[in-house]
Amino acid sequence: MSWLKPKDPRLARLTELFFERFFYNDLIASEDDPQLDAANVMAMLAFPGLLMLHWVPKYYVQLGQAPEYVRAFETFGDRFFWLSFQMGVLALVATLQWERFYPERRDYAILGPQPVSIAELFGAQARALVRFLGLFFLLVNGFAALFFPLAMVPYRASLSAGLVFTFGHWLCLIASAAAAFAFVGCIQGMLIAALPSRWYQRFSTVFQSLLAASLILFIVAIPVLRSHLLAGSSTVAELVGSSNWLWVLPPAWFAAFGEWAAGRNVELFEPLALKALFSLASAVCLFVGAYLLTYRRFVAHSLEGPAVSKNREARLGAVARSLLRRWWLRDSLQYATFFFTLRMLVRSGPHRLYVGGYLAAGCGGVFSQLWTASNRGDMADVLLQQPYIVLFLVVAGMRNAFSIPADLTANWAFRFNLQPTPGRYLEGVRKALWTAAPLPLAVISSATAYVFVSPYAALVRLPVFLLACCFTSEAVMWRLSKIPFTCRYLAGRAHVIILWTSLIIGMFLYSSWFASMEERAFAHPWDSAGLLLLLPLLLRYARSPASELRFEDTDPFIEPLRLS
């Protein structure tokens, strides 16, 4: 504890500074009130633990009256579910803070002339990181760590048996959380050690985006993983002897470690418990070793400055550029905003990570539903509604990413040459939006329907899906009066819970409405043909062009009451 609270006031203040900076993240918090946004996120993370209060009287009271082998089997399954959720969420939090595992370039530039050594700088950053991750560990596990042992220990058990079970559960929570954190940290450390500076700066955000997307997919698929893990078994002995999933899923190792630490089925779970301990020790040693061995190299990476991207437009090819200018981007302003929007989505790490998170959430839902489909008919039902959910989430993620500014130079590059025709700029943004999400998803969705359902289903889906793309894209562009990524803005007020709740409700209403429309078009083909005639009219009359482009939001800091 003395290491976390240094006596030196300089190091204590530096640790506090780095700790507070974790909450200033465009992907998590807004710039004007990051503490409030972070508090909203923390409340949502603590909510699943509070659900234990709902499950205890309705499920675990009845389970307490079941035979011992049933309680042991269900305890293992529930522990696996909770450890999977905890490890996925905490690893995702660590991934989102990937760039702040180490001090930043500006830290060396500002604190370099000060009497602060590199070791002290990294020590302060490490203390802040441990405090930050420990805070999220307590938020995710605080209520479940108390209520899960109360629910799972039989009411006739002795006090010592209850304490042993609680100790084993807490031990497996801490061990699994440490393994998840160390896993993310050692990946970054190995990247720093293995890649040259220029390659690391280019590929770091790529690895971060892929890891975050994989973790989101994992979190969404946890219920399916639990059902497949327990399928075909009725006791823990049958589970250990027959399930191959048990040996490849790390949360299952730590669930077995919890049972082993509590003294339950020791011989049965000992191999899995030893595997969990070995993986924990390996991840922690790799993380600590990589952190100690690479922090000086990270200093060199940071002081070299960001890598300058080369102009890769030549790779597109003269023929492709000519076709785009002739058929798709005839206006020069459309051409500029089209390529600017697409390149920011592809090359900018934070924006790519933001949109990739929405895409991973949608794909995770599709993956989970397809995994549980038992026959071709169930698969067809899944493929009916899920593509609309993916479309909704991806386009919503792109619209939210538009509000995150990229660089002030991008702002002024347009302002110095601004033309009094905002519609020309926004038309390029609209075409970039269609190119990035709706058109590829329409092709993939129709091809999927062709392969897994029938060619007729693909023919019916295409106009309905294009109508959904048109509706979604125009909703995104409605009242958009700025070029994406160029607005120097006052960040929006912290209404994260309201925003995400509205997003979830709108997503299900949207997907169910278009799925029912597709079913009607499938039964009445001429309705589908009529949709093709409706698309041009919608494109013509649904747009509301902005009168001018804004590069600064005009929201006042103080709202007048207007009483007079």
Side-chain angles (χ1 to χ4, degrees):
M1 294 301 293
S2 60
W3 179 78
L4 291 176
K5 293 183 178 180
K7 297 180 180 180
D8 190 338
R10 298 179 305 113
L11 300 181
R13 183 68 190 98
L14 204 58
T15 302
E16 290 293 334
L17 174 65
F18 288 153
F19 177 73
E20 292 174 1
R21 201 171 59 186
F22 278 113
F23 298 96
Y24 288 82
N25 189 323
D26 276 330
L27 300 176
I28 298 176
S30 57
E31 292 285 338
D32 63 332
D33 198 354
Q35 288 83 6
L36 184 56
D37 258 359
N40 290 333
V41 175
M42 293 176 186
M44 286 185 286
L45 291 178
F47 179 71
L50 283 172
L51 287 179
M52 291 294 298
L53 291 174
H54 173 75
W55 290 330
V56 166
K58 291 190 174 183
Y59 170 63
Y60 289 113
V61 170
Q62 297 179 359
L63 185 63
Q65 301 173 0
E68 174 61 27
Y69 73 92
V70 175
R71 289 201 306 271
F73 183 73
E74 294 297 332
T75 300
F76 184 84
D78 293 346
R79 196 196 297 272
F80 167 81
F81 182 91
W82 187 259
L83 290 179
S84 300
F85 173 76
Q86 175 209 240
M87 295 179 72
V89 169
L90 297 181
L92 181 61
V93 170
T95 304
L96 294 179
Q97 298 292 346
W98 175 290
E99 297 178 352
R100 296 184 180 177
F101 277 20
Y102 297 85
E104 299 176 354
R105 183 171 183 265
R106 62 180 178 180
D107 296 328
Y108 305 122
I110 296 173
L111 298 174
Q114 306 298 323
V116 179
S117 65
I118 294 179
E120 291 175 336
L121 192 65
F122 271 80
Q125 181 71 25
R127 283 189 293 270
L129 178 63
V130 171
R131 289 176 56 184
F132 177 78
L133 297 179
L135 173 63
F136 275 86
F137 170 77
L138 292 176
L139 287 170
V140 173
N141 294 299
F143 294 102
L146 175 63
F147 296 129
F148 185 81
L150 290 177
M152 298 310 300
V153 175
Y155 66 95
R156 294 180 179 177
S158 63
L159 178 61
S160 60
L163 292 176
V164 169
F165 183 90
T166 303
F167 174 77
H169 182 64
W170 289 358
L171 198 60
C172 76
L173 287 178
I174 296 172
S176 59
F181 293 146
F183 170 72
V184 177
C186 69
I187 289 179
Q188 188 190 30
M190 288 187 291
L191 287 178
I192 296 173
L195 298 179
S197 177
R198 181 182 299 178
W199 288 16
Y200 174 77
Q201 293 173 11
R202 289 183 179 179
F203 291 106
S204 174
T205 54
V206 175
F207 280 97
Q208 182 188 22
S209 303
L210 292 176
L211 183 58
S214 302
L215 290 170
I216 293 174
L217 285 171
F218 172 74
I219 293 172
V220 174
I222 287 175
V224 180
L225 289 174
R226 182 187 184 277
S227 63
H228 278 264
L229 178 68
L230 302 182
S233 303
S234 58
T235 64
V236 291
E238 294 177 0
L239 179 64
V240 174
S242 61
S243 178
N244 295 325
W245 289 98
L246 200 64
W247 299 94
V248 297
L249 293 174
W253 308 343
F254 287 97
F257 172 70
E259 295 289 319
W260 177 79
R264 296 159 50 120
N265 299 307
V266 174
E267 295 182 358
L268 195 62
F269 287 119
E270 185 174 3
L272 288 169
L274 294 178
K275 192 172 185 178
L277 291 175
F278 176 77
S279 64
L280 172 63
S282 302
V284 171
C285 291
L286 286 174
F287 173 52
V288 175
Y291 198 90
L292 294 177
L293 294 175
T294 61
Y295 77 92
R296 292 188 180 276
R297 185 170 183 178
F298 189 85
V299 174
H301 286 348
S302 301
L303 294 180
E304 288 181 13
V308 179
S309 299
K310 297 181 180 179
N311 184 9
R312 301 180 183 178
E313 187 176 349
R315 297 184 182 181
L316 185 62
V319 176
R321 291 200 305 273
S322 176
L323 291 175
L324 286 173
R325 293 298 297 267
R326 178 175 295 183
W327 300 105
W328 186 243
L329 302 167
R330 297 181 180 181
D331 189 273
S332 60
L333 298 183
Q334 291 185 24
Y335 188 86
T337 54
F338 176 86
F339 277 103
F340 173 75
T341 304
L342 286 184
R343 285 174 175 173
M344 286 305 306
L345 288 173
V346 172
R347 296 182 181 180
S348 174
H351 298 92
R352 183 172 57 217
L353 182 62
Y354 199 95
V355 178
Y358 280 83
L359 176 61
C363 293
V366 176
F367 173 74
S368 300
Q369 294 294 326
L370 289 176
W371 201 358
T372 56
S374 58
N375 53 56
R376 200 176 184 88
D378 294 341
M379 188 177 295
D381 292 339
V382 171
L383 295 176
L384 179 65
Q385 186 173 1
Q386 293 299 321
Y388 297 103
I389 294 179
V390 176
L391 173 66
F392 182 90
L393 287 175
V394 172
V395 176
M398 292 178 64
R399 180 62 180 88
N400 290 335
F402 286 172
S403 300
I404 302 176
D407 197 346
L408 288 180
T409 56
N411 184 310
W412 289 105
F414 284 100
R415 298 181 75 171
F416 279 138
N417 302 280
L418 189 63
Q419 302 295 321
T421 50
R424 296 166 63 189
Y425 291 97
L426 297 178
E427 186 63 25
V429 176
R430 180 180 284 106
K431 290 179 178 180
L433 181 68
W434 272 84
T435 304
L439 287 180
L441 288 176
V443 173
I444 294 172
S445 176
S446 300
T448 304
Y450 180 87
V451 173
F452 292 99
V453 186
S454 67
Y456 177 68
L459 185 64
V460 170
R461 159 159 293 184
L462 185 59
V464 179
F465 201 86
L466 288 176
L467 180 64
C469 294
C470 177
F471 175 82
T472 311
S473 301
E474 294 305 321
V476 167
M477 297 297 297
W478 184 62
R479 299 184 65 179
L480 182 67
S481 58
K482 61 184 178 182
I483 299 174
F485 319 117
T486 62
C487 187
R488 268 176 38 188
Y489 69 107
L490 295 173
R493 299 299 180 260
H495 297 299
V496 176
I497 295 178
I498 297 176
L499 174 64
W500 288 1
T501 303
S502 304
L503 186 68
I504 293 173
I505 295 174
M507 176 184 68
F508 286 109
L509 291 176
Y510 168 92
S511 60
S512 61
W513 187 69
F514 278 105
S516 62
M517 181 181 292
E518 184 175 333
E519 287 182 343
R520 178 178 175 82
F522 194 86
H524 305 281
W526 289 109
D527 291 354
S528 180
L531 291 177
L532 290 174
L533 301 177
L534 185 63
L535 279 174
L537 297 176
L538 224 79
L539 288 171
R540 182 179 180 86
Y541 295 106
R543 298 175 181 176
S544 55
S547 58
E548 63 176 351
L549 291 178
R550 292 190 297 116
F551 293 91
E552 307 281 350
D553 277 357
T554 56
D555 295 339
F557 284 105
I558 300 176
E559 294 286 349
L561 294 178
R562 305 184 186 277
L563 297 177
S564 59

